[in-house]
Structures are given as C-alpha cells and as structure tokens.
C-alpha cells in the first residue's frame, strides 16, 4: 500500500497515517493555511502541530476548509513543554481545542519532559501530574490517543510507574545518522509507536554526500531517501516543507532500500553538518 495511505496501529487500536506533515516554524496565517491545504490536496491525512508553534488556528481552518471529513484526517498537537501542572494542562488543552476549532484531537503529546530552557531537568512529578490530565482528556474522548515527545527511557519509566496509561507514542528527533537506538528499541518493545521528527535534520542533511550517493542509486532525492529510511525502520516520519513541489515529492516514497544500503546508512554519523 502506498505510504501516504497506509497506517500504523497504535496500542489502543487507533490507526495513524504513516506519513505526517510537520508544521514547526510555519507562521500562523497564510503560510500555515496554504501549506496544510496543499498537503491535504497532495493526499496527506496526518498533520502535526503544537500549541508552541502558534499556528493551530490556521491548521484547523485549513482542515475545515478542505472539505475532507474530520474523521479522515489525523491531527496531532502538543501540550507546551513549560506546563507541568494538572490545572494548567487542562486549561491549555481548552486553548488548543478552541484554536483548532475542533471537538477532539487524534493525538495529544507532552511536548518535552522539561521546559526548553531547562533541558534535562527533573520534572518527574510535573509530568505525572500533566499525564493525569491527559488521561482524563482521553477518557472524555477529546484525544483519541495520548503520548509523549523527547522522552528518554527513564522519562517513560518514571511516568509509567506512576500512572495507569502507557503512552501510545513517543515523538523523537530521528534521521539518518541520529537514530536514538536505546529509546527507539525500548519503545518498540513496549508497543509505543516512535514518530521521527526532523527526518531531514531540519534541512541540514540535504547536502550530505554519503546520503546523496545512496539516493542517487535509487534515482530519488536526498529528502525522499531520508523519509523512506524512517519507514524502513517502522518509524513514522514527519517531514516539513512549505514548498508545494516538495510537499508532493516528500510523499512519493514508495520504493525499498536494500538491506546493504540500510546498513550503510545505519553506520553514518555527523550527517547534520
Ligand atoms: P525537516 O522535515 O527535518 O526539514 C525541513 C527543512 O527541509 C525545511 O528547511 C524545508 O524547506 C526543507 N525541505 C523539506 N523537504 C525538502 C525537499 N524535498 N527538498 C529540499 N529541501 C526540503 O524539519 P523539521 O521542521 O525540523 O521537522 C519536521 C517536523 O517534526 C516539524 O515540522 C514538527 O512538526 C516536528 N518536530 C517536532 C519536534 C518536537 O520537539 N516534538 C521538534 C522539531 C520538529 P522548505 O520548507 O523551505 O521547503
């Protein structure tokens, strides 16, 4: 089945389209609206946004105006990393749902285990508190699935040890040369879907000569090769582009990378330079 119309199935049975359209750094307004509209037009049915991206309103409007039934589009958004309090988490979800102008989201994630300005700090208790809010949001049917992002094995274990729900997803930075094997393998073993953000290293991998040499073998662009690499690993890619031709290109990834070439790509380091 073409990757664009195929899906993974989360531990709770929810189906999630295999390629998601990323919207980080796409300004609210015309740019976010037009790129989400173009992605939907190109056949994407999975959009990844976040309260922190500031573009939920435009994303929601583009989805509504598309004429595609709401239940045919998978919408992910995220609780800001700075919020580590139950009441604030509940309040933030209301803001999100109002901005998106939707009754529910398909996936709601804790954006990071720590506020961005305190990378690595211990917010175990705060994460447990906001997770309880998210469990209630899911139980109320307002988020079909819930998960985390940027969580390490330890972060996940702290959360799971103190709550009743295992995250259905962990969204992490993942690209050729940056595959975070420990947390990826842990997630797979615990039926937590790994979503790979920045599959093109936010653009930094596109000039890598080694990656290009493999892409050339298949007559594919570096971007297509990099996105396909994640699919070969059963990691859900979330490429971002505001360029209409690239929106189409990034979804045209129905080819197979040989085991030898995967092994070569697995061995690459420092690809994002
Ligand atoms: P990315 O997809 O790794 O790379 C995007 C960059 O590559 C842009 O500069 C884009 O340029 C360029 N590009 C895209 N397709 C291309 C192509 N076919 N040929 C040449 N250049 C191409 O970017 P990302 O935004 O870092 O990550 C993707 C998504 O992951 C985000 O949008 C967001 O949804 C998610 N994310 C999540 C987190 C988190 O903490 N959970 C963090 C980062 C990202 P143009 O747009 O100019 O075409």
């Amino acid at each position: 089945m073409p990757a664009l119309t195929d899906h993974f199935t989360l531990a709770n049975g929810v189906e999630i389209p295999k390629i998601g359209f990323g919207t980080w750094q796409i300004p609210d307004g015309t740019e976010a609206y037009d790129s989400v509209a173009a992605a939907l037009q190109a056949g994407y049915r999975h959009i990844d946004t976040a309260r922190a991206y500031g573009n939920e309103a435009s994303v929601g409007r583009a989805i509504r105006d598309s004429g595609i039934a709401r239940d045919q589009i998978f919408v992910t958004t995220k609780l800001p990393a700075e919020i580590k309090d139950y009441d604030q988490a509940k309040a933030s979800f209301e803001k999100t749902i109002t901005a998106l102008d939707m009754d529910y989201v398909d996936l709601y994630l804790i954006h990071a285990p720590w506020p961005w300005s305190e990378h690595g700090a211990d917010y175990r208790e705060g994460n447990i508190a906001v997770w309880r809010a998210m469990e209630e949001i899911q139980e109320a049917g307002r988020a079909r699935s819930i998960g985390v992002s940027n969580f390490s094995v330890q972060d996940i274990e702290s959360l799971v040890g103190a709550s009743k729900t295992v995250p259905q997803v962990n969204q992490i930075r993942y690209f050729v040369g940056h595959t975070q094997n420990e947390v990826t393998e842990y997630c797979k073993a615990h039926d937590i879907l790994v979503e790979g953000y920045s599959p093109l290293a936010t653009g930094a991998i596109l000039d890598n000569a080694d990656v290009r040499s493999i892409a050339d073998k298949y007559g594919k662009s570096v971007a297509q090769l990099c996105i396909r690499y994640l699919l070969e690993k059963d990691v859900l890619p979330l490429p971002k582009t505001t360029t209409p031709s690239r929106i189409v290109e990034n979804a045209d990834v129905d080819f197979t990378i040989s085991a030898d070439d995967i092994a070569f790509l697995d061995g690459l380091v420092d690809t994002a330079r």
Side-chain angles (χ1 to χ4, degrees), residues 10 22 27 31 49 60 83 85 90 92-93 96 98 111 117 126 130 165 175 195 210 229 250 260 271:
L10 302 178
E31 243 187 298
T49 183
I83 295 179
D85 167 88
K90 285 282 182 89
S92 184
F93 183 75
T96 267
T98 301
H111 207 145
S117 59
V130 300
T165 313
F175 52 85
E195 294 187 343
D210 291 320
Y229 176 79
N250 292 351
D260 282 353
T271 48

Side-chain angles (χ1 to χ4, degrees), residues 78-93 108-134 147-152 155-156 158-159 170:
K78 311 181 191 92
L79 176 72
E82 292 71 24
I83 295 179
K84 298 298 177 198
D85 167 88
Y86 172 89
D87 289 330
Q88 287 178 29
K90 285 282 182 89
S92 184
F93 183 75
Y108 196 42
L109 303 176
I110 301 179
H111 207 145
W114 11 252
W116 298 112
S117 59
E118 294 175 69
H119 195 292
D122 182 357
Y123 274 88
R124 200 172 323 181
E125 294 307 320
N127 286 320
I128 292 166
V130 300
W131 190 242
R132 190 160 54 83
M134 290 172 67
V148 297
S149 179
N150 297 294
F151 270 47
S152 67
D155 293 327
I156 297 172
S158 300
L159 195 63
N170 188 15

Side-chain angles (χ1 to χ4, degrees), residues 252-269:
D252 179 14
V253 290
D254 294 310
F255 62 104
T256 304
I257 307 174
S258 75
D260 282 353
D261 290 333
I262 290 284
F264 175 81
L265 294 167
D266 286 346
L268 296 180
V269 290

Side-chain angles (χ1 to χ4, degrees), residues 24 48 149-150 171 198 200 202 238 240-241 243 246 250:
W24 179 40
D48 183 86
S149 179
N150 297 294
Q171 183 179 121
S198 303
L200 314 177
T202 320
L238 296 168
K240 169 264 169 188
T241 174
T243 312
R246 292 174 176 170
N250 292 351

Side-chain angles (χ1 to χ4, degrees), residues 112-234:
W114 11 252
W116 298 112
S117 59
E118 294 175 69
H119 195 292
D122 182 357
Y123 274 88
R124 200 172 323 181
E125 294 307 320
N127 286 320
I128 292 166
V130 300
W131 190 242
R132 190 160 54 83
M134 290 172 67
E135 288 176 324
E136 291 175 8
I137 287 165
Q138 183 176 35
E139 279 159 17
R142 303 179 79 199
R144 293 176 67 223
S145 39
I146 55 175
V148 297
S149 179
N150 297 294
F151 270 47
S152 67
V153 171
Q154 273 181 331
D155 293 327
I156 297 172
E157 289 198 325
S158 300
L159 195 63
V160 169
S163 51
K164 56 184 183 195
T165 313
V166 176
Q168 280 110 50
V169 165
N170 188 15
Q171 183 179 121
I172 59 173
R173 191 164 185 254
Y174 191 108
F175 52 85
V176 173
H178 185 80
T179 50
Q180 303 210 53
N181 295 339
E182 188 196 356
V183 67
T184 299
E185 278 158 31
Y186 176 89
C187 287
K188 288 190 175 179
H190 291 81
D191 207 4
I192 300 169
L193 179 75
V194 178
E195 294 187 343
Y197 74 70
S198 303
L200 314 177
T202 320
I205 203 169
L206 296 165
D207 294 326
N208 184 285
D210 291 320
V211 180
R212 179 171 296 281
S213 71
I214 303 296
D216 287 349
K217 268 176 76 169
Y218 294 88
K220 298 289 176 186
S221 69
V222 171
Q224 288 170 321
L225 191 275
C226 287
I227 293 163
R228 183 70 217 177
Y229 176 79
L230 269 67
L231 292 169
E232 300 279 1
K233 299 280 185 183
D234 280 334

